[in-house]
Amino acid sequence: MTAGGADAFLEEMQASGYPVTTWSNGPGDRYAPHTHPYRKILCCLEGSIAFHTADGDVALEPGERLVIEAGREHAATVGPSGVRCAEAHASEPQ
């Protein structure tokens, strides 16, 4: 994802009042099934990651977004080149 795309995500989330953090993981890293008490809005910046839910898998590549509603169980598997994502936490659905 270009710096401009990351900047656009940051600006959009901040305009909505949501703080943004970034994180990264190495190739093949996994997150066990878990939930969050907030709505998570993710944007893949580099690499790839697949999120696993009861409805199936959602793969993200640079520039793609995913919204995970509060309380929704999900797991994740990082792609072969690792991943870097930005995420915002929203306490209320939009």
Side-chain angles (χ1 to χ4, degrees):
M1 178 176 210
T2 65
D7 290 343
F9 179 78
L10 177 64
E11 290 172 12
E12 181 183 334
M13 294 301 107
Q14 288 179 335
S16 297
Y18 307 144
V20 176
T21 58
T22 59
W23 51 268
S24 60
N25 285 101
D29 283 352
R30 295 177 179 265
Y31 288 90
H34 64 282
T35 63
H36 302 284
Y38 49 82
R39 183 172 179 242
K40 180 185 278 199
I41 306 164
L42 292 142
C43 182
C44 181
L45 304 175
E46 297 174 10
S48 62
I49 188 167
F51 287 87
H52 316 293
T53 71
D55 293 331
D57 295 344
V58 178
L60 295 182
E61 294 188 351
E64 296 179 325
R65 298 180 184 193
L66 176 67
V67 176
I68 301 173
E69 297 298 336
R72 182 167 180 82
E73 186 174 86
H74 60 284
T77 305
V78 176
S81 62
V83 71
R84 187 169 71 91
C85 289
E87 71 176 55
H89 299 172
S91 57
E92 297 180 18
Q94 287 192 344

